[in-house]
Amino acid sequence: MGLKLGIDTGGTFTDAVLVDGRREIVAAAKQLTTRYDLTVGIARAIDGLPPALLSDVSLVSLSTTLTTNSVVEGKGSPVCALLIGYNDTQVRNSGLVELLGPESIVTIPGGHDAGGGEAVPLDEEAVRTAILARRDKVSAFAISATFSVRNPRHEIRARELVRELTRKPVTCGHELASSLGAPRRAATVALNARMIAQVQQLIESVEVILASHGIRAPLMIVKGDGSLINAESALKRPVGTVLSGPAASVLGACALSGLRDAIVADMGGTTTDIAVVRNGRPQLSFDGALIGGWQPMVEAVRVYSIGLGGDSEVRFSGGEGISIGPRRVVPLSLLASEHPQVLPALEGQARSSPNASQLRFALRLQNDEALLGQLPDDERQAWERLADGPVNMERAVEDDRRLARALARLERKGLVIYSGFTPTDAAHVLGISTHWSTTAAVLGARIWARRMRSLYGYGSWADGDAEAPSREIFDLVIDGISQKLVEAGLHEQDRLGAAQADKLAKLLTEMAMQRRRDPSKASVFSMQFAADTPVVAVGGPAASYYPEVARGLQVGLHMPPFGQVANAVGAVLGEVSQRVHLTITQPARGTFRVFANDGPKDFNQLDAAVAHARDLAATEASALAREAGAAEVEVAFEQDKNSVSTQLDGDVFFEMRVTAIASGPPRSALPLVA
């Protein structure tokens, strides 16, 4: 019997499942993710599966929220962005200064115009100088040139120089995006470069564990649109795996629930992701999904993603009061469960005067060789100090400010993570969750509440009361989830802008929640949300919150068996699919221009231009699909024509987008039985 092994490595948990040819789950396991050494968590998850079944595995497929979390949290490896032909306004609009820092951005003379003609010759000497100056300081290079989707020759030449002068990974904008919009394309390619080291570490971890278990099946990765690519392709374009976890969870949730119309809500440690499914298929966003304030140019499941998860930091925010997320921290209940030595420190903090460093312990998060190799002496010493376990930041601030400052810089670089009070801790205080140390959660609630009163003047909870502040946090999580569900429903028809939908969703949610918490104060209006479309809630923390969400919104709720490992289930259900888009324009009447990787080509007839574009797109899409691991490939086409008919001029053609979609099952995967 051929089995498929699905693995999901998230920010908090790593899951593994075995699925047979009838899509039935044979076995499942769940373990904590070990970000510093992913091998440990993955090995524990696979070790939780029956060893005798592993020899029957014919395909391994992996989904992950690591790249999504990287975008949401603003963390990533150091990269150099070579921006060819960009002016100061375009650089500013790209957001790369905030993302990478000004020292990581180099503007180079060059670029093309909208017609694909060379606007300014490429300054190859400037490219060489930039590469040589930064090759030992970065983990990857990102290249974006103006109008490279119309003519990528300058990007291709710059890529050749990077490969000639370094062994570092390099990605070009035209490889990732086919749409105009230089600033967003630059952001997309930079995000891609920042993720390469993380994805490489993940893939290498999985390959080591598979080899140790004697599993020699192909390794596939889930893309953000739910399709699959092999590991080699994922390393070239890791940004394509943004929303990989949510895409897999949608596929898994639909398979586990048996529903074809649903609102799928996946709550993890870092984010809550919501997608609307119609007729068994999630909606796709071809313009790029909005994640943590960024909108990379990648085709992905249309997901509404917010930095609200079980591990989101609960903090004070001026003008708001209590704010939850988007920063992820280690829950105190988990910290004490893994490191019991922190309990005496928490007990001491409960007796001492409140300060901002309480509840904060520093731990190693991930091992990024490029970053570690550049650490100054004080940060290197701080990193080595963490090998002994968590560092109490309150004690460090009091006794060794040099250590405290170094740890703070390591946290900003994404190498270190802090602990803090979280919704997971609040759920432990209320008895809703019992996975880890309730003692630490109660201590944390008391310390956090006292700090909020003393430092910020917020809260009227009795001294020593852990339940009241935890209940307030729990209710805020319910409200946040509920508002996002309503917002996703409002967005489904594309009738409201983002700001309008957010404002209306907040009002409607407040009305619904008020009716639940105090019927005597309920509005004369009532809201019926998703009457015929139930919510399918999956993910580790979902059971703690979604029953209350469903009661407040009066919506149907499905929490299917194995829903806590839905991502891993969905990881094995996709197929390989690659899309290639080519654009045809009419720069002059009777001239039809096809823009391709080898430059623009003109035709006298539209039909000839379309035929040429279809041939090129089909050839490239088929090659990409086979390169990505497809066993057999079928090609389908989509054409989006922009034209106007007038009485005077007849049919006036402006532009056409020709899309070839090459799809097929992954190699060595046995066909599923219907």
Side-chain angles (χ1 to χ4, degrees):
M1 177 178 63
L3 298 175
K4 295 184 179 183
L5 170 59
I7 303 171
D8 175 69
T9 300
T12 304
F13 287 106
T14 294
D15 306 326
V17 299
L18 289 172
V19 178
D20 65 18
R22 299 182 183 276
R23 300 187 181 222
E24 294 180 357
I25 298 175
V26 177
K30 193 177 193 74
Q31 294 289 335
L32 285 169
T33 294
T34 49
R35 283 282 291 271
Y36 174 67
D37 185 356
L38 293 171
T39 304
V40 176
I42 294 169
R44 289 172 180 169
I46 296 179
D47 285 342
L49 301 173
L53 297 178
L54 297 181
S55 60
D56 290 332
V57 171
S58 62
L59 180 77
V60 181
S61 189
L62 173 70
S63 76
T64 176
T65 60
L66 292 182
T67 50
T68 307
N69 295 346
S70 171
V71 178
V72 171
E73 298 177 60
K75 304 291 174 62
S77 301
V79 301
C80 173
L82 302 177
L83 305 183
I84 301 170
Y86 279 64
N87 57 39
D88 291 343
T89 300
Q90 290 171 313
V91 173
R92 185 169 57 252
N93 290 343
S94 72
L96 292 187
V97 174
E98 294 79 12
L99 180 69
L100 306 178
E103 69 282 354
S104 299
I105 302 168
V106 183
T107 55
I108 306 288
H112 290 79
D113 58 29
E118 186 177 70
V120 177
L122 176 65
D123 188 340
E124 293 193 15
E125 189 57 37
V127 177
R128 288 179 181 273
T129 301
I131 295 169
L132 292 173
R134 291 163 177 81
R135 64 182 178 182
D136 296 326
K137 301 177 182 179
V138 300
S139 62
F141 284 84
I143 301 172
S144 183
T146 53
F147 289 105
S148 63
V149 295
R150 296 292 169 86
N151 193 331
R153 287 173 182 167
H154 285 182
E155 287 189 352
I156 292 171
R157 178 54 184 153
R159 181 179 65 191
E160 291 172 350
L161 290 172
V162 171
R163 290 174 175 171
E164 175 186 317
L165 299 171
T166 82
R167 294 185 177 180
K168 299 294 175 68
V170 55
T171 312
C172 296
H174 77 275
E175 298 175 300
L176 302 176
S178 60
S179 301
L180 295 175
R184 276 188 60 204
R185 194 165 59 253
T188 301
V189 74
L191 289 168
N192 185 80
R194 278 163 57 92
M195 297 170 183
I196 290 175
Q198 290 184 2
V199 173
Q200 182 174 5
Q201 182 186 6
L202 174 63
I203 289 173
E204 290 176 350
S205 299
V206 174
E207 289 176 337
V208 168
I209 295 303
L210 294 179
S212 70
H213 287 81
I215 299 173
R216 294 178 175 83
L219 174 60
M220 308 297 291
I221 315 294
V222 181
K223 289 172 56 185
D225 61 2
S227 65
L228 304 179
I229 52 174
N230 57 24
E232 293 79 8
S233 297
L235 281 175
K236 295 177 182 176
R237 300 178 180 88
V239 74
T241 68
V242 165
L243 298 178
S244 162
S249 75
V250 170
L251 297 176
C254 290
L256 292 171
S257 67
L259 297 174
R260 296 184 62 79
D261 295 297
I263 301 172
V264 175
D266 178 16
M267 187 175 189
T270 307
T271 61
T272 292
D273 306 306
I274 298 168
V276 178
V277 178
R278 295 295 185 193
N279 198 30
R281 292 183 175 273
Q283 298 175 337
L284 294 182
S285 174
F286 296 105
D287 192 40
L290 184 64
I291 313 140
W294 294 91
Q295 194 173 15
M297 287 178 162
V298 292
E299 295 172 352
V301 170
R302 189 173 185 180
V303 168
Y304 304 93
S305 183
I306 53 172
L308 174 61
D311 301 350
S312 297
E313 182 181 30
V314 182
R315 56 188 174 83
F316 178 79
S317 178
E320 296 181 37
I322 298 176
S323 180
I324 304 176
R327 183 165 75 166
R328 174 178 171 260
V329 294
V330 177
L332 296 167
S333 51
L334 171 57
L335 177 72
S337 179
E338 295 283 299
H339 304 279
Q341 68 269 27
V342 305
L343 276 172
L346 289 173
E347 292 168 351
Q349 291 180 9
R351 296 188 296 268
S352 63
S353 299
N355 65 74
S357 298
Q358 289 177 338
L359 304 181
R360 185 163 289 178
F361 294 80
L363 303 90
R364 285 183 174 182
L365 177 60
Q366 63 178 332
N367 184 16
D368 189 316
E369 293 182 1
L371 274 175
L372 291 173
Q374 301 175 38
L375 295 182
D377 289 344
D378 60 339
E379 293 179 16
R380 167 62 65 178
Q381 292 168 8
W383 176 258
E384 293 172 352
R385 167 67 181 80
L386 292 171
D388 299 328
V391 171
N392 184 345
M393 292 299 292
E394 182 186 39
R395 181 66 58 84
V397 169
E398 294 173 355
D399 300 342
D400 191 345
R401 287 187 175 273
R402 184 169 178 268
L403 172 63
R405 288 193 292 267
L407 288 170
R409 291 195 297 272
L410 290 176
E411 191 276 336
R412 288 193 292 271
K413 292 178 179 179
L415 293 170
V416 163
I417 188 171
Y418 289 141
S419 63
F421 195 66
T422 68
T424 293
D425 295 314
H428 275 75
V429 172
L430 299 173
I432 297 170
S433 180
T434 57
H435 295 95
W436 301 312
S437 173
T438 299
T439 300
V442 171
L443 285 169
R446 290 170 177 165
I447 296 166
W448 178 85
R450 188 182 59 180
R451 188 174 67 189
M452 291 288 284
R453 293 195 309 271
S454 300
L455 300 185
Y456 308 113
Y458 182 89
S460 57
W461 316 293
D463 191 35
D465 185 357
E467 289 196 13
S470 296
R471 173 60 61 180
E472 187 166 339
I473 292 166
F474 180 82
D475 287 343
L476 282 174
V477 175
I478 299 300
D479 290 352
I481 295 171
S482 301
Q483 179 179 335
K484 208 62 184 179
L485 287 169
V486 174
E487 192 174 331
L490 293 173
H491 273 301
E492 186 186 11
Q493 301 300 322
D494 290 323
R495 294 183 179 180
L496 295 175
Q500 291 176 304
D502 179 76
K503 187 174 182 179
L504 181 55
K506 185 175 182 179
L507 174 62
L508 294 173
T509 304
E510 287 175 353
M511 292 166 54
M513 292 299 115
Q514 183 66 53
R515 181 179 295 275
R516 176 178 72 87
R517 291 176 185 143
D518 189 353
S520 66
K521 296 181 181 179
S523 167
V524 294
F525 293 98
S526 63
M527 179 180 70
Q528 188 173 32
F529 172 72
D532 301 318
T533 311
V535 171
V536 179
V538 296
S544 298
Y545 303 100
Y546 278 86
E548 282 294 314
V549 170
R551 277 192 286 271
L553 294 179
Q554 298 181 334
V555 66
L557 176 66
H558 285 250
M559 299 187 66
F562 297 104
Q564 72 275 16
V565 293
N567 291 38
V569 174
V572 299
L573 300 182
E575 66 175 5
V576 177
S577 181
Q578 292 287 313
R579 291 172 175 262
V580 171
H581 309 283
L582 293 183
T583 300
I584 304 172
T585 65
Q586 186 176 207
R589 193 168 183 84
T591 299
F592 302 94
R593 181 167 295 169
V594 178
F595 295 97
N597 283 341
D598 58 353
K601 184 174 182 179
D602 291 344
F603 295 84
N604 295 327
Q605 298 293 326
L606 177 59
D607 289 347
V610 171
H612 180 68
R614 285 169 65 99
D615 287 343
L616 289 179
T619 299
E620 185 178 351
S622 298
L624 287 172
R626 292 189 178 92
E627 180 184 332
E632 300 174 357
V633 172
E634 293 185 1
V635 180
F637 293 96
E638 294 177 354
Q639 294 181 188
D640 185 12
K641 182 179 179 182
N642 180 11
S643 62
V644 174
S645 294
T646 67
Q647 290 183 345
L648 181 62
D649 297 317
D651 189 23
V652 180
F653 173 87
F654 291 108
E655 185 174 290
M656 176 183 288
R657 191 187 201 193
V658 176
T659 301
I661 308 149
S663 305
R667 294 189 191 100
S668 298
L670 298 178
L672 292 171
V673 177

